[in-house]
Amino acid sequence: MTTIALPLPEIVDGADIRLPVSAVVSDALAVARRNLIALMRVPTTVVFSTVQPVIFVLMFRYVFGGAIQGSLPPGQTYVNFLMPGIFVQTIVFGSLTTGVGLADDLSKGLIDRFRSLPMARSAVLVGRTLADLVRNFFVVILMCIVGFIVGWTIGTNVWGLLGAVGIILAFSYSLSWVFAIVGLMVKDAETAQAVSFPILAPLVFASSAFVPVATMPSWLQGWAKNQPVSVVVNAARALTIGGPTSEYVIKAIIWIVGIIAVCAPIAVARYRRAV
């Protein structure tokens, strides 16, 4: 009896197999679940990631609020001005978790284990960013509760609030791809965290998150007004305080889509070289 050898698909690093979209989605969800389970096993990480923004709320609300209130338009309270900025500041600083986590996985050899599996390469990155998106969702919900406690009020309606939360979470997802590139470049958790701060500082503090742009030096106002953090903060403010919103929301969406469109392919390409 003659045995006929059938050609088998070539497996290179366990990830070059052409998989259906459903399998890619399944792989990404499995990786996201793994990351969420790992996060829950270290609850101190969640605790400290929420304590910092709460401290920022209390500090700016009760320490700096009186000094900044005079620079706001008549009738606008600083707490309503502040909270959208705190939300964005929280998810911006939280987004470096993606880079730190990927760098840690690289240094521990976990990525090499993924290579041996017949799974999509993009699933590792998509799963990581999805897990961080879920974490950011719960952090934003917590910050909403803290905001209401310190006197934050919604000047629009529940749909405006939901729209603001949606814009903020979408922005957090786009930033996760930015810091995924950082984590894959440095391959060390400590270095990833150190490298991320010089990127985060000008985005957060040279923005409209905490003070009106008009109070800044003229040479800084162009950057502060048009950079992505300010654009997203302004969109969230318009959705929660009221007034014209379409221009701010459209600009925010353009920034979010643009960041993902540019950074996601770069991150995937970097992942291929990193492993």
Side-chain angles (χ1 to χ4, degrees):
M1 183 175 182
T2 303
T3 301
I4 301 176
L6 297 176
L8 297 175
E10 183 180 359
I11 300 178
V12 181
D13 291 340
D16 289 334
I17 301 174
R18 291 187 178 277
L19 298 173
V21 174
S22 59
V24 176
V25 173
S26 177
D27 291 343
L29 292 177
V31 174
R33 181 174 177 272
R34 172 257 171 191
N35 290 326
L36 289 172
I37 292 174
L39 182 64
M40 291 300 101
R41 288 177 178 173
V42 189
T44 53
T45 303
V46 180
V47 172
F48 284 109
S49 66
T50 54
V51 167
Q52 183 185 32
V54 170
I55 293 175
F56 268 97
V57 171
L58 298 177
M59 182 174 62
F60 278 91
R61 171 72 172 91
Y62 297 110
V63 178
F64 302 121
I68 301 173
Q69 178 66 52
S71 62
L72 298 178
Q76 186 175 121
T77 62
Y78 182 62
V79 66
N80 290 343
F81 177 89
L82 171 68
M83 289 310 300
I86 289 290
F87 292 147
V88 176
Q89 174 255 334
T90 300
I91 60 95
V92 169
F93 278 102
S95 63
L96 65 85
T97 305
T98 303
V100 171
L102 284 172
D104 189 53
D105 288 345
L106 278 171
S107 65
K108 292 180 178 178
L110 182 63
I111 299 299
D112 290 331
R113 298 180 188 177
F114 286 140
R115 293 178 62 187
S116 65
L117 301 174
M119 60 185 297
R121 295 190 180 215
S122 60
V124 176
L125 299 179
V126 174
R128 167 66 66 173
T129 55
L130 285 177
D132 290 335
L133 178 63
V134 173
R135 179 184 58 81
N136 283 327
F137 171 76
F138 287 105
V139 171
V140 169
I141 295 301
L142 173 63
M143 296 314 301
C144 284
I145 296 172
V146 174
F148 290 134
I149 292 173
V150 299
W152 181 44
T153 58
I154 305 300
T156 54
N157 51 46
V158 66
W159 300 112
L161 175 61
L162 293 176
V165 171
I167 289 285
I168 291 167
L169 291 176
F171 185 53
S172 76
Y173 186 72
S174 70
L175 289 181
S176 291
W177 287 102
V178 175
F179 291 100
I181 298 172
V182 174
L184 293 170
M185 289 179 63
V186 299
K187 303 181 184 180
D188 176 82
E190 291 77 13
T191 306
Q193 191 166 7
V195 169
S196 298
F197 187 77
I199 301 173
L200 295 173
L203 283 173
V204 173
F205 296 108
S207 73
S208 63
F210 305 121
V211 298
V213 172
T215 63
M216 300 179 185
S218 57
W219 55 268
L220 184 59
Q221 290 184 17
W223 158 261
K225 182 179 179 180
N226 297 296
Q227 56 116 322
V229 167
S230 292
V231 171
V232 174
V233 169
N234 292 338
R237 278 200 189 109
L239 287 165
T240 55
I241 294 177
T245 60
S246 58
E247 179 183 356
Y248 296 120
V249 171
I250 290 172
K251 287 182 179 179
I253 292 173
I254 290 173
W255 266 112
I256 292 166
V257 173
I259 291 172
I260 295 175
V262 171
C263 293
I266 294 175
V268 173
R270 187 70 196 182
Y271 176 81
R272 290 176 181 273
R273 293 196 297 270
V275 300

